[in-house]
Amino acid sequence: MKKVRIALLGLGNVGRGVCMILNSNKEEIMKRSGYEVEIAKILVRDKNKPRGIDVSKELITTDFNEILNDDSIKVVLEMMGGIEPAREYMLQCMDKGKHIVTANKMLLATNGDELFEKADSNGLMFKYEASVAGGIPIINGIDESLTANKIKELYGIVNGTTNYILTKMESEGLGFDEALKEAQDMGYAEADPTSDIEGYDAQYKLAILSSLAFGTKIDIDNVYREGITNIKPIDMDYAKEFKMVIKLLAIVKENNEKLELRVHPTMIPKKHPLANVYDSFNAVFVKGNAVGDLMFYGRGAGDLPTGSAVVSDVIAILRSNIDLENNNSVVKNNLWDRKIADIKEVKSKFYIRASVLDEPGVLGEITAILGKYNVSLRSVIQKGDQNEEGNVTIVLVTHTTSQKQIYDSCNEISSLRSVNNIDNIIRIEDFKN
Amino acid sequence: MKKVRIALLGLGNVGRGVCMILNSNKEEIMKRSGYEVEIAKILVRDKNKPRGIDVSKELITTDFNEILNDDSIKVVLEMMGGIEPAREYMLQCMDKGKHIVTANKMLLATNGDELFEKADSNGLMFKYEASVAGGIPIINGIDESLTANKIKELYGIVNGTTNYILTKMESEGLGFDEALKEAQDMGYAEADPTSDIEGYDAQYKLAILSSLAFGTKIDIDNVYREGITNIKPIDMDYAKEFKMVIKLLAIVKENNEKLELRVHPTMIPKKHPLANVYDSFNAVFVKGNAVGDLMFYGRGAGDLPTGSAVVSDVIAILRSNIDLENNNSVVKNNLWDRKIADIKEVKSKFYIRASVLDEPGVLGEITAILGKYNVSLRSVIQKGDQNEEGNVTIVLVTHTTSQKQIYDSCNEISSLRSVNNIDNIIRIEDFKN
Ligand SMILES: NC(=O)c1ccc[n+]([C@@H]2O[C@H](COP(=O)([O-])OP(=O)(O)OC[C@H]3O[C@@H](n4cnc5c(N)ncnc54)[C@H](OP(=O)(O)O)[C@@H]3O)[C@@H](O)[C@H]2O)c1
Ligand SMILES: NC(=O)c1ccc[n+]([C@@H]2O[C@H](COP(=O)([O-])OP(=O)(O)OC[C@H]3O[C@@H](n4cnc5c(N)ncnc54)[C@H](OP(=O)(O)O)[C@@H]3O)[C@@H](O)[C@H]2O)c1
């Protein structure tokens, strides 16, 4: 049996998962890869931290050079996270002819090009399945299995924390804060949950998926982002009334030769497969011009699911017909140039919830303004009693219209004397085009 | 741009889909594969049949030798179906150093070994994504993305015709015959629907999936098979009452070091992701020891979805680091030896529907017999009025028990004077182990 020596940068959640899998599935991995995989070194910050897994002390180091300068190490797994020194370490490893597997979405979304180019120019493999949706093989799916397709649209539930929170709000009627607290208690949300609940994490992942699916460079700033902190139980109730659910979706669509890139809470029909993705599960729904509708569903995070993606990437490197001594990888993707749509022009259906004075003529004033901006309404709902301030809630659902039209008209609407506040605006996606 | 010449065996549904994709997605395919793909020849039975697509007459031939003996043809796509001459043609092509892509589930399920061995010994690639679940990349998923896992269980809705029929029965209360008729009118079922409704098609696919997932040879006769013709609207009604739905599942599980292989109608909880796979859609649900629960969902048949899988396989061959002139593919999977469980010993929960005389003591007699065979009951339902013959329906739901215990006890139960008939026995899968 051939042997390959690998190094791990990082022994946190993902690193630990990788160690456990390499250990417990040793026999499978040998049979499938044709190699005995040996961990040569593991880089950490703190040598004395208890690791909770069975790893020989001698493997652990805080000196990156022990890995960089060991020519017997052929594959390096980056599971540290963050931009630096992860970026610098990977670049240096590639200059030494080491293949890379990484789970680092933030780095890929912001500095991906540089890393891909270095891999290409050195004939190396660079794999990153774990960076999006953990154990779900969506990167491989797009990169290997949907290659015959023009991908037209992609919709992802790619953040488990927010999906867990929205599930709790939907099924148990919790408020956002309560649901977040529960997610934190369950270990699904971090002490500082900003990256998840404000949609940054999903934004990174969408940038990675879109650049792969559309063969183009995506500047993260071109991805519109809106988090879930503004969703209220009453919005959940209205969604239910419309036979819809609210999900944080990462969406990319090609429309008139432009890419729309956006992360935002979205009302989708209860019957759609994405609507039935609950708790901390993730899913990615893709429309290809040949394959039609396709969905991948599974665990988006966690030590073992994420480790599964990392180790499968390692096996893919070992099984490729690459000569590990001579680095002859020839797989190169030519990049397309794609135009990005301005979010203001991106069209959608919208749900608008407002609190207004309970007096005759209010609705007339509102619809007059919407008419002026060419926003046409599909339905209007007003029910329930006045609150203490004499306001009632109305909900408007529009036909397809641009964000600019909505924002401009809502701006004008909120300046009406009879309108107390526009409380929420949520996009509706019914998957019909 | 490099050029590669390929040949198509067959220009039916799948072959036509492949031609359309090669044509409409030419640019994507070039960028992704690095090759211009040229169709050199297409083999058919009848040269004069109208083909309904734009294909040059000169390409079409009825003489296989024009393909076999053309050394400039490097990849052959088999989309004829049937055992012979598909088997003989593929073997001969591989002896001439041609890589193979096939959609032929029947041939793979019965003669797969011989074909895989020939490919291995000739250093050739042999790809068959289209053979299971059409456009869903489940073969690639298992073969490339889940390699770090021990797969523990796999559940597939892999036949679109039966899923369409069961969906119609569930949602519109149709009887089996009516629903079948509708499936035929819609073009989802063939004039002779036996292969679909009796579960043969699913049996082939399960054999292919299982041998890949468990790295072993599967004799098709070891796959237990039961069709859906016995499902009645009343069974659908009871399922609904239990918050379940009935699906034709192809199941493989590893239990006590043995593989259970079975295709049969199954009651599953409405909340499970597989329960929400409707119409002619397919899905495959996999449990891996690292990745956890994973599901792939999409179109299991049709010219373009199936063509998408075939063309993606072609691109995978072109993108591999294989030297098309020298056939140096080195990917070989070692086979494991796996024991297959005897279906009689396979355990499950069961739903039993019987018609019995409406008189005191019947239930006592039945439960006494079940007790004798150590079958324990979870619930018993009797309701509704006598029919003309004085019979009433009772439904029994058991705890986990072996098929042998169920069949033996039901045999004895049906010989009771007070029992008119055991009308149906359906397995229940609640995905808890
Ligand atoms: N957790 C998930 O489920 C998941 C899912 C998908 C992707 N990812 C990605 O995977 C990566 C790792 O995530 P994680 O959850 O495993 O993180 P983590 O638990 O914080 O672990 C990070 C590890 O990297 C080490 N490390 C960090 N900076 C270092 C430095 N400058 N020098 C040496 N070692 C350093 C740490 O060492 P010490 O242990 O000594 O502190 C620790 O072992 C991130 O990019 C993350 O986005 C995670
Ligand atoms: N249809 C689907 O959605 C689907 C999905 C997954 C897998 N598959 C598999 O794909 C394969 C093809 O299916 P299909 O639906 O495309 O079948 P089809 O429509 O019946 O087409 C078969 C083609 O093969 C040609 N052919 C058959 N026997 C031949 C022979 N002895 N010599 C030369 N040509 C021959 C036929 O020629 P003529 O046209 O001259 O008769 C026809 O063009 C089957 O293995 C099937 O199981 C199909």
Side-chain angles (χ1 to χ4, degrees):
Chain A
M1 178 75 49
K2 288 178 288 184
K3 231 184 210 177
V4 62
R5 280 161 61 82
I6 68 171
L8 278 51
L9 310 182
L11 188 57
N13 291 309
V14 182
R16 243 186 335 261
V18 166
C19 288
M20 288 191 281
I21 294 167
L22 288 175
N23 191 30
S24 65
N25 295 354
K26 201 177 176 69
E27 198 195 347
E28 280 73 16
I29 293 167
M30 284 205 297
K31 291 211 175 178
R32 293 192 184 126
S33 69
Y35 280 86
E36 191 184 328
V37 178
E38 187 195 339
I39 299 179
K41 279 282 167 220
I42 304 176
L43 182 73
V44 297
R45 267 178 308 215
D46 175 357
K47 240 178 141 155
N48 298 314
K49 212 190 246 182
R51 299 289 166 182
I53 48 159
D54 185 25
V55 162
S56 153
K57 273 239 156 196
E58 281 91 77
L59 299 183
I60 295 188
T61 179
T62 55
D63 179 5
F64 171 63
N65 289 313
E66 288 186 21
I67 292 168
L68 183 68
N69 297 323
D70 183 340
D71 287 338
S72 74
I73 295 175
K74 299 296 177 193
V75 186
V76 171
L77 285 48
E78 187 276 309
M79 301 162 297
M80 307 192 299
I83 304 293
E84 294 294 358
R87 176 185 153 276
E88 192 52 46
Y89 286 180
M90 284 197 266
L91 289 171
Q92 289 185 27
C93 283
M94 287 194 275
D95 274 335
K96 293 274 192 177
K98 301 182 198 306
H99 302 273
I100 301 283
V101 176
T102 179
N104 196 324
K105 53 206 155 206
M106 196 208 283
L107 180 54
L108 283 176
T110 52
N111 295 61
D113 298 349
E114 186 187 15
L115 295 162
F116 294 133
E117 277 158 26
K118 175 70 82 185
D120 272 0
S121 61
N122 291 12
L124 291 164
M125 291 186 78
F126 184 93
K127 306 274 289 176
Y128 54 101
E129 182 63 74
S131 68
V132 180
I136 303 177
I138 182 63
I139 300 289
N140 234 1
I142 295 175
D143 199 31
E144 310 261 319
S145 305
L146 299 180
T147 45
N149 286 264
K150 276 186 201 153
I151 291 179
K152 308 302 290 177
E153 299 166 30
L154 180 152
Y155 305 83
I157 296 176
V158 289
N159 181 272
T161 309
T162 46
N163 204 49
Y164 182 85
I165 292 172
L166 293 172
T167 299
K168 285 284 148 182
M169 292 178 69
E170 180 195 334
S171 62
E172 297 174 18
L174 301 189
F176 173 80
D177 294 330
E178 272 176 296
L180 169 60
K181 172 87 178 40
E182 214 177 294
Q184 285 170 325
D185 293 346
M186 297 283 296
Y188 288 137
E190 320 224 347
D192 175 0
T194 314
S195 171
D196 293 323
I197 64 178
E198 295 296 357
Y200 292 99
D201 177 76
Q203 190 187 32
Y204 297 142
K205 291 168 179 168
L206 183 62
I208 296 171
L209 285 176
S210 306
S211 58
L212 184 64
F214 293 93
T216 189
K217 296 182 189 179
I218 301 286
D219 183 343
I220 189 90
D221 297 327
N222 283 328
V223 181
Y224 175 78
R225 180 192 49 74
E226 219 180 273
I228 63 163
T229 53
N230 204 26
I231 306 291
K232 297 277 179 315
I234 186 174
D235 299 315
M236 288 283 169
D237 293 342
Y238 277 106
K240 227 169 254 177
E241 204 170 313
F242 303 148
K243 294 198 172 39
M244 300 241 173
V245 300
I246 301 175
K247 295 289 184 190
L248 181 69
L249 291 192
I251 302 177
V252 53
K253 293 190 194 190
E254 188 172 18
N255 238 332
N256 299 323
E257 318 246 298
K258 286 186 183 168
L259 295 186
E260 298 176 14
L261 296 153
R262 45 203 173 97
V263 170
H264 53 65
T266 319
M267 285 196 189
I268 60 175
K270 187 83 192 74
K271 287 216 140 187
H272 194 273
L274 281 172
N276 293 296
V277 175
Y278 289 116
D279 300 319
S280 64
F281 276 95
N282 283 17
V284 180
F285 188 91
V286 187
K287 271 181 203 271
N289 73 339
V291 79
D293 291 353
L294 198 66
M295 191 174 85
F296 298 74
Y297 164 100
R299 288 271 169 216
D303 49 4
L304 292 176
T306 312
S308 165
V310 172
V311 175
S312 296
D313 274 352
V314 174
I315 297 172
I317 293 175
L318 300 178
R319 282 174 47 147
S320 72
N321 283 299
I322 272 192
D323 176 348
L324 288 179
E325 299 301 328
N326 291 306
N327 299 329
N328 57 346
S329 175
V330 295
V331 178
K332 280 196 185 63
N333 278 307
N334 298 308
L335 291 180
W336 274 258
D337 257 336
R338 301 278 190 165
K339 294 206 180 65
I340 310 292
D342 182 344
I343 187 69
K344 291 200 216 69
E345 304 307 331
V346 169
K347 294 202 161 91
S348 182
K349 291 164 181 146
F350 288 85
Y351 155 101
I352 303 164
R353 175 166 60 81
S355 63
V356 302
L357 289 181
D358 191 10
E359 51 180 44
V362 180
L363 206 58
E365 288 180 285
I366 292 175
T367 51
I369 295 174
L370 290 170
K372 191 171 114 190
Y373 288 94
N374 283 318
V375 175
S376 81
L377 283 180
R378 196 165 63 176
S379 60
V380 179
I381 301 179
Q382 176 183 337
K383 52 174 195 194
D385 297 330
Q386 293 184 7
N387 64 9
E388 295 117 51
E389 292 95 42
N391 291 315
V392 292
T393 296
I394 63 165
V395 163
L396 310 168
V397 175
T398 75
H399 287 291
T400 302
T401 181
S402 73
Q403 169 166 317
K404 181 167 169 28
Q405 285 167 288
I406 288 294
Y407 281 24
D408 288 351
S409 50
C410 283
N411 241 342
E412 196 165 328
I413 289 168
S414 45
S415 70
L416 288 173
R417 184 201 53 87
S418 51
V419 171
N420 178 45
N421 195 30
I422 305 254
D423 296 316
N424 213 347
I425 301 177
I426 302 177
R427 283 173 185 74
I428 298 172
E429 177 63 59
D430 55 13
F431 301 94
K432 292 177 193 142
N433 286 314
Chain B
M1 179 72 51
K2 289 177 287 184
K3 231 184 208 176
V4 61
R5 283 161 60 81
I6 68 171
L8 279 52
L9 310 182
L11 188 56
N13 291 309
V14 182
R16 241 186 335 262
V18 166
C19 288
M20 289 191 281
I21 293 168
L22 288 175
N23 192 31
S24 65
N25 295 355
K26 201 180 176 69
E27 199 194 346
E28 279 74 16
I29 293 166
M30 283 204 297
K31 292 212 174 174
R32 292 190 185 129
S33 69
Y35 280 87
E36 191 183 328
V37 178
E38 187 194 339
I39 298 179
K41 279 285 166 214
I42 304 175
L43 183 72
V44 297
R45 269 180 305 215
D46 175 357
K47 240 177 142 156
N48 299 313
K49 213 190 243 182
R51 298 292 165 180
I53 49 160
D54 186 24
V55 161
S56 152
K57 274 240 154 194
E58 281 92 76
L59 297 183
I60 295 187
T61 179
T62 54
D63 180 6
F64 171 63
N65 288 313
E66 288 186 21
I67 292 169
L68 182 67
N69 297 324
D70 183 340
D71 287 339
S72 74
I73 295 175
K74 298 294 177 193
V75 187
V76 171
L77 286 48
E78 186 276 311
M79 301 161 296
M80 306 193 297
I83 304 294
E84 294 294 1
R87 175 184 153 278
E88 191 52 46
Y89 286 179
M90 285 197 264
L91 290 171
Q92 289 185 27
C93 283
M94 288 195 274
D95 275 335
K96 292 275 192 174
K98 301 182 198 306
H99 301 273
I100 300 285
V101 176
T102 179
N104 196 325
K105 54 207 154 201
M106 195 209 283
L107 179 54
L108 283 176
T110 52
N111 294 61
D113 299 347
E114 186 188 14
L115 295 162
F116 294 133
E117 278 159 25
K118 175 70 81 181
D120 273 359
S121 61
N122 291 11
L124 291 164
M125 291 187 75
F126 184 93
K127 305 274 288 174
Y128 54 100
E129 183 63 75
S131 68
V132 180
I136 303 177
I138 182 64
I139 299 290
N140 235 1
I142 295 176
D143 200 29
E144 310 260 319
S145 305
L146 298 180
T147 45
N149 287 264
K150 276 185 201 156
I151 292 180
K152 307 304 290 177
E153 299 166 29
L154 180 153
Y155 305 82
I157 296 176
V158 289
N159 181 273
T161 308
T162 46
N163 203 48
Y164 182 85
I165 291 172
L166 293 172
T167 299
K168 285 285 148 182
M169 291 178 70
E170 180 194 334
S171 63
E172 297 174 18
L174 301 189
F176 173 79
D177 294 331
E178 273 174 295
L180 169 60
K181 173 83 179 40
E182 214 176 293
Q184 284 169 325
D185 293 345
M186 296 285 293
Y188 289 137
E190 319 226 348
D192 175 1
T194 314
S195 170
D196 293 323
I197 62 178
E198 295 295 358
Y200 291 100
D201 177 76
Q203 190 187 32
Y204 296 142
K205 291 168 178 166
L206 182 61
I208 296 170
L209 286 176
S210 306
S211 57
L212 184 64
F214 293 93
T216 189
K217 297 184 188 180
I218 301 285
D219 183 342
I220 189 91
D221 297 328
N222 282 329
V223 181
Y224 174 77
R225 180 192 49 74
E226 220 182 89
I228 64 163
T229 53
N230 203 26
I231 306 290
K232 297 278 180 312
I234 186 174
D235 298 316
M236 288 282 168
D237 293 343
Y238 277 106
K240 225 168 257 178
E241 204 169 314
F242 304 147
K243 295 201 172 37
M244 298 240 172
V245 300
I246 301 175
K247 295 289 185 191
L248 182 69
L249 291 192
I251 302 176
V252 54
K253 292 190 194 190
E254 189 173 18
N255 238 331
N256 299 323
E257 318 248 297
K258 285 185 183 170
L259 295 185
E260 297 175 14
L261 295 154
R262 46 203 172 96
V263 170
H264 52 65
T266 319
M267 285 196 188
I268 61 175
K270 187 83 193 74
K271 287 217 140 186
H272 193 273
L274 281 171
N276 294 297
V277 175
Y278 288 117
D279 299 320
S280 63
F281 277 95
N282 284 17
V284 180
F285 189 91
V286 187
K287 271 181 202 270
N289 74 338
V291 80
D293 291 354
L294 199 65
M295 191 174 85
F296 297 74
Y297 164 99
R299 288 271 169 216
D303 49 5
L304 292 176
T306 312
S308 165
V310 171
V311 175
S312 295
D313 273 352
V314 173
I315 296 172
I317 293 174
L318 300 177
R319 282 174 47 147
S320 72
N321 285 298
I322 272 193
D323 176 349
L324 288 178
E325 299 301 328
N326 290 307
N327 300 329
N328 57 345
S329 173
V330 294
V331 178
K332 281 195 184 62
N333 278 306
N334 298 307
L335 292 180
W336 274 260
D337 257 337
R338 300 278 190 166
K339 293 204 180 67
I340 310 293
D342 181 343
I343 186 70
K344 291 199 215 71
E345 304 307 332
V346 169
K347 294 202 161 93
S348 182
K349 290 164 183 146
F350 287 85
Y351 154 101
I352 303 164
R353 175 167 58 82
S355 62
V356 302
L357 289 182
D358 191 10
E359 52 181 44
V362 180
L363 206 56
E365 287 181 286
I366 291 176
T367 51
I369 294 174
L370 289 170
K372 190 172 116 190
Y373 288 95
N374 283 317
V375 175
S376 81
L377 283 180
R378 196 165 65 176
S379 61
V380 179
I381 300 180
Q382 176 181 335
K383 55 177 193 191
D385 297 330
Q386 292 184 10
N387 64 8
E388 295 118 51
E389 292 96 42
N391 291 315
V392 291
T393 296
I394 63 166
V395 163
L396 312 168
V397 175
T398 75
H399 286 292
T400 302
T401 182
S402 74
Q403 169 165 317
K404 182 168 168 26
Q405 286 167 289
I406 288 293
Y407 280 25
D408 287 351
S409 51
C410 283
N411 241 342
E412 195 166 326
I413 289 168
S414 45
S415 70
L416 289 173
R417 184 201 54 85
S418 51
V419 171
N420 178 45
N421 196 30
I422 305 254
D423 295 316
N424 213 348
I425 301 177
I426 301 177
R427 282 173 186 73
I428 297 173
E429 177 62 59
D430 54 15
F431 301 96
K432 293 176 195 144
N433 285 312

